[in-house]
Amino acid sequence: MIQISSKLPQTGTSIFTVMSALAAEVGAINLSQGFPDYNCDPALIAMVNKAMKAGHNQYAPMAGLMALRQRLSAKTEKLYNAVYDPETEITITAGGTQAIFTAICCTVQPNDEVIVFEPAYDSYAPAIKVMGGVVKSLELEPPDYRINWEMVKRLITSKTRLIILNSPHNPTATILHQSDIDELSAIVKNQDIMILSDEVYEHLIYDGQTHHSMARYEELRKRSFICASFGKLFHTTGWKVGYCLAPAALMQEFRKVHQFLVFSVNAPMQYAIAEYLKDESCYLGLSEFFQQKRDYFRSAMEQTRFELLPCSGSYFQSVKYNKISDEKDTDMALRITKEFGVASIPTSAFYSRGTDYHVLRFCFAKKQETLDKAVHKLIKV
Ligand code: GLN
């Protein structure tokens, strides 16, 4: 037998895959993995079709279609007052996760330390470990999951190379505030520390709050890889198209890896997205669209015995279940899926030590009837 020495001995199958497969197997309503159960705009599909028929079926440029990069540059300038050169500072990726992996791959050297706030999206730590880096995690606690910046200062050493941020945050639905930006800026100033900012939920932010993109702040912008996703933007998670913004010197290294990881991203989708982005209402209306879903789901969930945690952004709602059970969140998530027919994600999966605050995450990017059916079942728990 051929022996393979695992680079990720502790890593199993992603919780998103596990819970979605279980939901399909037992026929449960799937509020686990974050994706919509309704279709995207037919106009966008028609644009893909048009691009394919027009013959745009060969390799796109390595960094992405220029027309799309130009649109993103204009969007970022308008929203965040930051100028990214489409030639050298924007790259189209095969989804947000690939952008994140590539940014980690081109920054982290063996033994470099990376600060990660947990609960964290499950791709960060494995990517760091594959590169021989060391994960320095700081655990955040419900209900507010705020970052204690004094603790961050204590974690910083001469080996700290990267800090990973994610706002709006998956899975906790919290956002960074101006005070966080100020603390972070003071910490990294004059330090050789880069930032990976996972901003895939940038347009899913509620109650009139502001998205504090790293692009807005020069001290942060100059050291940041900002990763984003068209899947979250256009309800097309299956298309796997995203992008990364970074200053030219950083982007140069990003592209060295990107070109050998994917070379380039599928062309017809890029033509279509470039055309679709001409009308900015396609993303400016998203907060309102999802806020309605959030409000609807939250108010329906009041009928259950689950306790709702705050939700400022993303399309996730976390709940505590202390009034119902004291079992582990992984057991609880499995049991609710099998016995009551609603799949969720146990939040302990986002902590490297498996810390369990008895919190489950539900995705509310679903049709109203799906949310109704799910809540109807959850009332019985
Ligand atoms: N970001 C999505 C989530 O948190 C899913 C991503 C994935 O399945 N890789 O559910």
Side-chain angles (χ1 to χ4, degrees):
M1 272 289 279
I2 298 285
Q3 295 292 313
I4 178 162
S5 170
S6 179
K7 287 203 160 189
L8 297 169
Q10 315 301 339
T11 303
T13 305
S14 157
I15 189 70
F16 307 117
T17 304
V18 171
M19 291 309 297
S20 278
L22 180 65
E25 186 192 319
V26 302
I29 297 175
N30 189 2
L31 304 191
S32 63
Q33 197 176 21
F35 63 87
D37 71 342
Y38 44 85
N39 212 347
C40 63
D41 186 348
L44 179 56
I45 294 176
M47 288 170 190
V48 176
N49 211 241
K50 192 174 98 184
M52 287 179 169
K53 284 182 180 156
H56 298 305
N57 299 302
Q58 309 308 326
Y59 293 126
M62 184 271 277
L65 191 72
M66 185 44 100
L68 178 54
R69 288 185 273 151
Q70 282 165 342
R71 290 254 178 274
L72 289 172
S73 178
K75 170 178 180 284
T76 313
E77 182 167 8
K78 184 153 185 214
L79 291 178
Y80 307 129
N81 199 23
V83 179
Y84 283 88
D85 182 349
E87 194 70 62
T88 53
E89 302 187 311
I90 301 177
T91 299
I92 308 302
T93 61
T97 305
Q98 188 242 309
I100 290 164
F101 188 92
T102 307
I104 290 171
C105 192
C106 73
T107 50
V108 176
Q109 309 264 4
N111 302 320
D112 278 352
E113 293 176 358
V114 182
I115 296 180
V116 176
F117 301 101
E118 295 184 352
Y121 183 53
D122 68 347
S123 85
Y124 305 157
I128 296 162
K129 287 180 197 159
V130 163
M131 300 320 298
V134 179
V135 179
K136 293 293 221 176
S137 53
L138 185 63
E139 293 200 0
L140 312 179
E141 293 173 19
D144 295 326
Y145 299 98
R146 293 304 301 275
I147 295 171
N148 178 334
W149 292 101
E150 284 309 311
M151 302 276 278
V152 179
K153 276 183 209 160
R154 272 182 251 154
L155 273 185
I156 296 206
T157 73
S158 59
K159 290 187 183 159
T160 308
R161 189 62 47 238
L162 188 68
I163 298 177
I164 303 185
L165 292 159
N166 170 216
S167 179
H169 188 260
N170 178 12
T172 69
T174 55
I175 56 170
L176 290 174
H177 297 273
Q178 183 64 52
S179 57
D180 295 308
I181 297 295
D182 296 343
E183 298 267 14
L184 173 65
S185 305
I187 287 174
V188 295
K189 197 172 168 113
N190 302 323
Q191 299 258 20
D192 202 9
I193 296 176
M194 287 170 282
I195 292 171
L196 165 50
S197 187
D198 173 354
E199 302 187 13
V200 301
Y201 300 102
E202 70 183 306
H203 294 291
L204 283 61
I205 188 157
Y206 310 129
D207 308 313
Q209 298 182 89
T210 301
H211 171 54
H212 290 286
S213 173
M214 296 299 127
R216 287 181 193 272
Y217 309 96
E218 185 46 32
E219 188 60 52
L220 302 178
R221 198 190 84 85
K222 68 182 186 192
R223 60 184 75 239
S224 288
F225 295 86
I226 298 177
C227 299
S229 150
F230 293 112
K232 310 292 171 186
L233 211 55
F234 301 139
H235 323 286
T236 53
T237 61
W239 289 9
K240 295 299 297 176
V241 188
Y243 60 95
C244 180
L245 310 173
L250 272 54
M251 186 52 80
Q252 191 180 357
E253 295 305 313
F254 183 99
R255 286 183 184 170
K256 285 183 193 173
V257 175
H258 173 81
Q259 66 184 341
F260 296 121
L261 195 54
V262 291
F263 179 60
S264 71
V265 175
N266 76 78
M269 266 63 175
Q270 295 191 60
Y271 277 90
I273 294 170
E275 188 180 348
Y276 196 63
L277 273 175
K278 279 183 197 161
D279 179 2
E280 58 189 26
S281 68
C282 65
Y283 54 85
L284 292 182
L286 272 184
S287 285
E288 201 187 319
F289 175 81
F290 280 114
Q291 184 164 329
Q292 275 176 15
K293 291 200 179 292
R294 178 202 68 167
D295 293 347
Y296 186 81
F297 186 60
R298 282 178 72 89
S299 90
M301 284 293 283
E302 295 288 354
Q303 305 165 77
T304 71
R305 293 197 292 156
F306 293 97
E307 289 166 72
L308 299 167
L309 294 181
C311 174
S312 294
S314 80
Y315 44 44
F316 303 115
Q317 174 64 54
S318 291
V319 301
K320 281 183 82 87
Y321 58 83
N322 289 3
K323 286 189 193 151
I324 303 171
S325 161
D326 59 6
E327 65 201 301
K328 288 199 302 193
D329 67 353
T330 40
D331 293 341
M332 184 73 174
L334 292 177
R335 193 165 68 82
I336 296 179
T337 310
K338 291 180 192 160
E339 285 180 23
F340 295 92
V342 183
S344 60
I345 298 282
T347 307
S348 65
F350 296 78
Y351 287 98
S352 50
R353 294 175 196 87
T355 309
D356 181 4
Y357 289 103
H358 292 185
V359 172
L360 299 177
R361 186 199 84 173
F362 291 105
C363 172
F364 56 77
K366 306 290 169 188
K367 291 180 216 151
Q368 188 160 318
E369 62 184 87
T370 309
L371 297 177
D372 282 339
K373 277 190 207 150
V375 173
H376 188 69
K377 290 173 186 289
L378 291 172
I379 287 171
K380 301 193 186 111
V381 182

PDB file of all heavy atoms in Angstrom, residues 16 33-34 121 170 201 232 316 361, ligand 1:
ATOM      1  N   PHE A  16     -19.969  21.853   6.390  1.00  0.00           N
ATOM      2  CA  PHE A  16     -21.013  22.266   5.426  1.00  0.00           C
ATOM      3  C   PHE A  16     -21.408  21.077   4.541  1.00  0.00           C
ATOM      4  O   PHE A  16     -22.578  20.853   4.262  1.00  0.00           O
ATOM      5  CB  PHE A  16     -20.521  23.429   4.560  1.00  0.00           C
ATOM      6  CG  PHE A  16     -20.005  24.574   5.380  1.00  0.00           C
ATOM      7  CD1 PHE A  16     -18.685  24.976   5.297  1.00  0.00           C
ATOM      8  CD2 PHE A  16     -20.848  25.241   6.256  1.00  0.00           C
ATOM      9  CE1 PHE A  16     -18.212  26.026   6.072  1.00  0.00           C
ATOM     10  CE2 PHE A  16     -20.384  26.288   7.032  1.00  0.00           C
ATOM     11  CZ  PHE A  16     -19.057  26.679   6.941  1.00  0.00           C
ATOM     12  N   GLN A  33     -25.746  24.711   5.307  1.00  0.00           N
ATOM     13  CA  GLN A  33     -24.781  25.381   4.419  1.00  0.00           C
ATOM     14  C   GLN A  33     -25.383  26.688   3.902  1.00  0.00           C
ATOM     15  O   GLN A  33     -26.587  26.757   3.628  1.00  0.00           O
ATOM     16  CB  GLN A  33     -24.493  24.443   3.254  1.00  0.00           C
ATOM     17  CG  GLN A  33     -23.256  24.784   2.466  1.00  0.00           C
ATOM     18  CD  GLN A  33     -22.988  23.734   1.385  1.00  0.00           C
ATOM     19  OE1 GLN A  33     -23.886  23.002   0.981  1.00  0.00           O
ATOM     20  NE2 GLN A  33     -21.752  23.676   0.938  1.00  0.00           N
ATOM     21  N   GLY A  34     -24.524  27.718   3.769  1.00  0.00           N
ATOM     22  CA  GLY A  34     -25.034  29.031   3.373  1.00  0.00           C
ATOM     23  C   GLY A  34     -25.211  29.177   1.876  1.00  0.00           C
ATOM     24  O   GLY A  34     -24.261  29.494   1.160  1.00  0.00           O
ATOM     25  N   TYR A 121     -14.554  30.767   9.877  1.00  0.00           N
ATOM     26  CA  TYR A 121     -14.847  29.986   8.671  1.00  0.00           C
ATOM     27  C   TYR A 121     -13.807  28.870   8.565  1.00  0.00           C
ATOM     28  O   TYR A 121     -12.618  29.110   8.790  1.00  0.00           O
ATOM     29  CB  TYR A 121     -14.813  30.918   7.452  1.00  0.00           C
ATOM     30  CG  TYR A 121     -15.168  30.250   6.147  1.00  0.00           C
ATOM     31  CD1 TYR A 121     -16.349  29.527   6.016  1.00  0.00           C
ATOM     32  CD2 TYR A 121     -14.327  30.348   5.053  1.00  0.00           C
ATOM     33  CE1 TYR A 121     -16.673  28.912   4.805  1.00  0.00           C
ATOM     34  CE2 TYR A 121     -14.645  29.751   3.845  1.00  0.00           C
ATOM     35  CZ  TYR A 121     -15.821  29.026   3.737  1.00  0.00           C
ATOM     36  OH  TYR A 121     -16.138  28.425   2.548  1.00  0.00           O
ATOM     37  N   ASN A 170     -19.183  35.307   9.563  1.00  0.00           N
ATOM     38  CA  ASN A 170     -19.738  33.959   9.504  1.00  0.00           C
ATOM     39  C   ASN A 170     -19.034  33.139  10.575  1.00  0.00           C
ATOM     40  O   ASN A 170     -17.811  33.055  10.548  1.00  0.00           O
ATOM     41  CB  ASN A 170     -19.444  33.379   8.112  1.00  0.00           C
ATOM     42  CG  ASN A 170     -19.925  31.956   7.940  1.00  0.00           C
ATOM     43  OD1 ASN A 170     -20.675  31.445   8.768  1.00  0.00           O
ATOM     44  ND2 ASN A 170     -19.491  31.311   6.868  1.00  0.00           N
ATOM     45  N   TYR A 201     -19.579  38.948   2.763  1.00  0.00           N
ATOM     46  CA  TYR A 201     -20.955  39.378   3.102  1.00  0.00           C
ATOM     47  C   TYR A 201     -21.070  40.911   3.147  1.00  0.00           C
ATOM     48  O   TYR A 201     -21.940  41.443   3.831  1.00  0.00           O
ATOM     49  CB  TYR A 201     -21.385  38.763   4.441  1.00  0.00           C
ATOM     50  CG  TYR A 201     -21.375  37.249   4.396  1.00  0.00           C
ATOM     51  CD1 TYR A 201     -20.328  36.517   4.961  1.00  0.00           C
ATOM     52  CD2 TYR A 201     -22.380  36.544   3.749  1.00  0.00           C
ATOM     53  CE1 TYR A 201     -20.292  35.122   4.880  1.00  0.00           C
ATOM     54  CE2 TYR A 201     -22.353  35.157   3.663  1.00  0.00           C
ATOM     55  CZ  TYR A 201     -21.309  34.456   4.229  1.00  0.00           C
ATOM     56  OH  TYR A 201     -21.280  33.086   4.139  1.00  0.00           O
ATOM     57  N   LYS A 232     -22.382  35.241  -3.162  1.00  0.00           N
ATOM     58  CA  LYS A 232     -23.192  35.876  -2.114  1.00  0.00           C
ATOM     59  C   LYS A 232     -23.918  37.102  -2.670  1.00  0.00           C
ATOM     60  O   LYS A 232     -24.976  37.482  -2.194  1.00  0.00           O
ATOM     61  CB  LYS A 232     -22.306  36.319  -0.938  1.00  0.00           C
ATOM     62  CG  LYS A 232     -21.382  35.260  -0.408  1.00  0.00           C
ATOM     63  CD  LYS A 232     -22.107  34.123   0.277  1.00  0.00           C
ATOM     64  CE  LYS A 232     -21.138  33.000   0.571  1.00  0.00           C
ATOM     65  NZ  LYS A 232     -21.721  31.792   1.100  1.00  0.00           N
ATOM     66  N   PHE A 316     -26.884  34.588   8.240  1.00  0.00           N
ATOM     67  CA  PHE A 316     -26.961  33.559   9.268  1.00  0.00           C
ATOM     68  C   PHE A 316     -27.588  34.099  10.551  1.00  0.00           C
ATOM     69  O   PHE A 316     -27.349  35.241  10.939  1.00  0.00           O
ATOM     70  CB  PHE A 316     -25.563  33.021   9.578  1.00  0.00           C
ATOM     71  CG  PHE A 316     -24.886  32.477   8.357  1.00  0.00           C
ATOM     72  CD1 PHE A 316     -23.739  33.074   7.849  1.00  0.00           C
ATOM     73  CD2 PHE A 316     -25.406  31.384   7.683  1.00  0.00           C
ATOM     74  CE1 PHE A 316     -23.121  32.588   6.710  1.00  0.00           C
ATOM     75  CE2 PHE A 316     -24.799  30.884   6.533  1.00  0.00           C
ATOM     76  CZ  PHE A 316     -23.652  31.483   6.045  1.00  0.00           C
ATOM     77  N   ARG A 361     -26.272  27.511  14.069  1.00  0.00           N
ATOM     78  CA  ARG A 361     -26.406  28.547  13.043  1.00  0.00           C
ATOM     79  C   ARG A 361     -27.409  28.096  11.975  1.00  0.00           C
ATOM     80  O   ARG A 361     -27.289  26.996  11.444  1.00  0.00           O
ATOM     81  CB  ARG A 361     -25.034  28.763  12.385  1.00  0.00           C
ATOM     82  CG  ARG A 361     -24.990  29.904  11.389  1.00  0.00           C
ATOM     83  CD  ARG A 361     -23.808  29.796  10.456  1.00  0.00           C
ATOM     84  NE  ARG A 361     -24.085  28.921   9.328  1.00  0.00           N
ATOM     85  CZ  ARG A 361     -23.288  28.742   8.275  1.00  0.00           C
ATOM     86  NH1 ARG A 361     -22.137  29.387   8.211  1.00  0.00           N
ATOM     87  NH2 ARG A 361     -23.620  27.931   7.292  1.00  0.00           N
TER      88      ARG A 361
HETATM   89  N1  GLN B   1     -19.849  30.015   3.266  1.00  0.00           N
HETATM   90  C1  GLN B   1     -20.892  29.034   3.323  1.00  0.00           C
HETATM   91  C2  GLN B   1     -21.270  28.706   4.741  1.00  0.00           C
HETATM   92  O1  GLN B   1     -20.669  29.151   5.671  1.00  0.00           O
HETATM   93  C3  GLN B   1     -20.556  27.733   2.662  1.00  0.00           C
HETATM   94  C4  GLN B   1     -19.233  27.575   2.056  1.00  0.00           C
HETATM   95  C5  GLN B   1     -18.899  26.159   1.751  1.00  0.00           C
HETATM   96  O2  GLN B   1     -19.728  25.276   1.846  1.00  0.00           O
HETATM   97  N2  GLN B   1     -17.687  25.953   1.418  1.00  0.00           N
HETATM   98  O3  GLN B   1     -22.202  27.974   4.918  1.00  0.00           O
END
